[in-house]
Amino acid sequence: LRVHDNAILHAAAQAIQNNAADEVLPCYCLDPRHFQLTEHNSPKTHLFRARFLLESVNDLKQQLRAIGSDLLVVVGKPEEVIPELQPQHVLASEEPTWEEAQVARRLSRRLSGGANLETLWQYSLYHMDDIPYNRPDLSNFPDGFTSFRNKVENGNHCTVRALLPTPRAGTLPLPNSLPDGINFVPTVDDLPLPEAVHERYTTAAAGEQEARKDVSMPTFKGGERAALKRLDYYLWKSDLLSTYFDTRNGMLGGDYSTKLSCWLAHGCISPRKIHSECQRYEQERVCNKSTYWVTFELLWRDFLRFFCVKHGSRVFLVGGAKSVEKSWINDANSVERWKSGNTGMPLVDANMRELAATGFQSNRGRQNVASYFTCLLYTSPSPRDS
C-alpha cells in the first residue's frame, strides 16, 4: 500500500515503457474473509486494524491519483473480483503463508483469455532470490536466526537491493473505459465486520483519547505519507535513531522505539526505504550500535518470513513447525481473563488493557503477555516426565 519501492507498480510502468502493455488498472480487494470470526470466535480484524487499513487504502488511492492513475477498491474475494475485470496480465505480491497462497492459486485458475498471474516478492529487506538458500522452498534455510544473520551479513553472500523508483506522472495510464466503482472510497460501513466489532468501531472514536492512559503515545494513522512522516521524525527531526538500542525495550511513551511496525505490516513503507535512510543517517549524522540495530530488527523480520516459506502451514499448527507435542489446559475463563486484562498480574494486565484501548502493545509487552499466556495454559510435565 505505497507508491515508493513498489515492485508491482515498477513492473507495470516498465511494461508500458516497453510497449508490452497499453494500460494499467491498480486494484485492491478488501477480502471479506479477513474480517470474519475465527473458529475460536475471535475477529481476524478488529477495530484499530480495520481503521488503519482503510486509511492506508485511501491514502494509496490519493497517491496514485496524484500521478494520473487511480485505485479500484472492491469489497470482495480476489479470485472473484479480478477475473470479472478481464485482465490480460495480473501482477500481485508473492505471499508464502497458507491462506494467501490459496487465494493466489484460486485466482490463477479462474483467469481466462490467456491471462496469467505473476507474483513478485517485495516483503523483505533482502530479496528472497538473493539469499543463499534453495529456491523456491528454502529447504536448507536454518531454523535459528544467528546462522541466517551470519551468512547474509558476514559471508558477502548477498546485498540489499537498491530502492525501486517511484512511478512518475503519466507512467501508469488508466484504461479509457473505467469500472463503475472507480470512485468508491470505502468506510467502515462497507466492511463485513462482526457486529460487536462494528458497534465498537462506531462508538470508540469519541472516547478513545480518554481510554488512553499513556497520553504521550501517538495515535497511528494509516498510509504511506504517515509512515514516511514517522520515519523522518524518528531519524532526522529528533535524532532518536542514535539511541534506539538503549531505549528500544521501553513500554511507555511514543519515542522509545521506531513505531514503524504497523506501517511495515501493511506495506505502507518499504524495509529497504528504512534501511536506506538509516544508512544515510549513518553517513550524515552518526554511526553506532543503535543505528545498526534497526537494520538488525528488519533482519529478524526477514528471518521469520523466510521461516514461513520453509515450513508452510505447519507454523500455524498447535505443535508448531517442529510438531512438538505439549499438554494444554482448555480453560476458557483463564483465556478471557488474560484477554480482558484481569489476571491479577499488574504487568500483564496493563499491557493487555493498552492493547484493548489503543490497538498497540510494545515489543517487550508482547513478549511478556505471550509468555504468561503459554505458561498459564501449559500443563507442565511431572518431575518424572522431565
Side-chain angles (χ1 to χ4, degrees), residues 89-315:
H89 190 70
V90 179
L91 296 168
S93 292
E94 180 180 353
E95 297 289 343
T97 41
W98 189 83
E99 290 183 359
E100 290 80 2
Q102 287 287 96
V103 171
R105 282 191 285 270
R106 294 190 196 108
L107 171 57
S108 182
R109 288 196 298 266
R110 294 190 183 187
L111 292 173
S112 60
N116 67 302
L117 171 65
E118 179 184 358
T119 57
L120 303 173
W121 183 267
Q122 57 175 351
Y123 175 89
S124 53
L125 177 63
Y126 288 95
H127 196 286
M128 187 156 64
D129 289 342
D130 297 339
I131 60 175
Y133 301 101
N134 295 340
R135 261 301 241 146
D137 60 357
L138 300 188
S139 57
N140 62 336
F141 187 79
D143 289 339
F145 170 72
T146 301
S147 297
F148 166 67
R149 177 195 175 193
N150 289 342
K151 198 161 190 176
V152 298
E153 284 192 336
N154 302 328
N156 296 319
H157 288 284
C158 54
T159 58
V160 176
R161 294 186 181 185
L163 292 169
L164 295 171
T166 300
R168 303 186 312 277
T171 57
L172 299 171
L174 288 165
N176 291 326
S177 178
L178 293 171
D180 292 337
I182 193 66
N183 292 317
F184 173 59
V185 177
T187 67
V188 65
D189 293 327
D190 299 306
L191 301 179
L193 290 165
E195 184 176 349
V197 177
H198 190 280
E199 288 178 358
R200 190 172 166 205
Y201 192 108
T202 57
T203 59
E208 185 177 327
Q209 289 305 319
E210 288 75 8
R212 300 172 74 92
K213 303 300 182 184
D214 183 4
V215 295
S216 60
M217 181 70 184
T219 300
F220 298 106
K221 181 178 178 61
E224 177 180 16
R225 285 175 289 188
L228 295 176
K229 182 178 180 181
R230 174 65 188 183
L231 180 65
D232 181 64
Y233 167 77
Y234 195 81
L235 272 64
W236 305 106
K237 295 287 197 302
S238 65
D239 278 317
L240 289 166
L241 178 63
S242 64
T243 57
Y244 171 76
F245 182 82
D246 300 316
T247 64
R248 73 193 193 285
N249 288 325
M251 291 187 182
L252 294 174
D255 290 346
Y256 61 83
S257 65
T258 69
K259 303 293 188 297
L260 290 170
S261 59
C262 53
W263 289 291
L264 274 167
H266 288 77
C268 301
I269 193 168
S270 157
R272 294 193 301 218
K273 176 65 174 178
I274 298 172
H275 174 70
S276 175
E277 286 297 294
C278 287
Q279 284 192 316
R280 184 164 73 92
Y281 184 92
E282 289 178 334
Q283 294 169 359
E284 298 181 14
R285 296 277 175 91
V286 64
C287 178
N288 58 24
K289 190 173 185 177
S290 288
T291 59
Y292 160 74
W293 215 255
V294 171
T295 297
F296 172 84
E297 303 289 10
L298 291 174
L299 199 59
W300 255 110
R301 182 175 179 268
D302 278 12
F303 169 77
L304 294 172
R305 180 52 62 104
F306 295 143
F307 186 88
C308 287
V309 174
K310 175 182 177 180
H311 292 288
S313 59
R314 284 181 295 170
V315 299

Side-chain angles (χ1 to χ4, degrees), residues 32-77:
R33 291 166 294 203
H34 294 172
F35 305 95
Q36 296 174 347
L37 293 173
T38 69
E39 59 182 295
H40 305 292
N41 205 38
S42 296
K44 296 193 74 171
T45 301
H46 216 295
L47 165 68
F48 298 101
R49 185 181 175 198
R51 182 169 64 195
F52 192 93
L53 175 60
L54 288 177
E55 291 169 347
S56 300
V57 170
N58 293 338
D59 181 75
L60 177 59
K61 187 176 182 70
Q62 294 173 30
Q63 297 273 74
L64 287 169
R65 282 182 166 179
I67 59 171
S69 183
D70 209 327
L71 181 67
L72 176 66
V73 184
V74 182
V75 179
K77 299 176 180 178

